[in-house]
Amino acid sequence: MVLKRSNHASNQMPEVNLVPMMDVVMTILTFFIIVSMTLTKQQNALNVTLPSANAPANPSASKGPDPMIVAIDAQGKLAVKDVVVSETDLSQQVQTFLASSPQAAVLLKADRKVSYEQLAKVLGTLQKVGGERVSLAIEGN
C-alpha cells in the first residue's frame, strides 16, 4: 500500500481565525466594566443642598462685622465704597480692612456683563492678600 502525499495541502499557510479570540476579549472587557461600575460606591458622595437665589437670608449668618463691598462695573472698573480704585489700591484697602477686622468678609458685586476672566483676576487678587472669605453678590428674583 502506497500513501500518496498531496502537494496541494502542504503548500497552504495555516489560517488563524481571530473572531473567537476577539469575542473572548470583548466578553472579559465587558465583565470588568460591569464589575468596576458596581464596585464604585456612589454612597460616599456628599449630599449637598445648594442654596437658590430665592432662598431667604439666614439671620444667624449676618451677626458678624459688616463686609467690605467691592464692585466691578461692566467696563471692568473696580470700586470700594463707591470710589473707583486701581487693583493695587484694592489690595492695600483689603489688607487694611482684614487687619482691622479679621473675621469680616469681602462681598464682590460684579456686573453681569463682566467677563469671567476679569472676575477671576479680581478673585485671585483678593485671595493673594488674604481675603479667603469672599462672597459673590447675586440679585434674587
Side-chain angles (χ1 to χ4, degrees), residues 24-42:
V24 170
V25 169
M26 293 304 290
T27 303
I28 293 172
L29 180 64
T30 304
F31 171 76
F32 282 118
I33 289 173
I34 291 172
V35 168
S36 69
M37 288 173 57
T38 58
L39 293 179
T40 303
K41 295 182 180 179
Q42 296 295 331

Side-chain angles (χ1 to χ4, degrees), residues 68 70 76-80 83-97 118 121-122 124-126 128-129:
M68 177 182 196
V70 178
K77 295 179 186 172
L78 298 169
V80 177
V83 177
V84 178
V85 296
S86 68
E87 195 170 324
T88 56
D89 291 338
L90 174 67
S91 299
Q92 293 172 353
Q93 289 185 15
V94 170
Q95 283 178 338
T96 305
F97 175 74
Q118 176 71 22
K121 185 177 178 183
V122 172
T125 301
L126 293 175
K128 285 179 188 174
V129 297

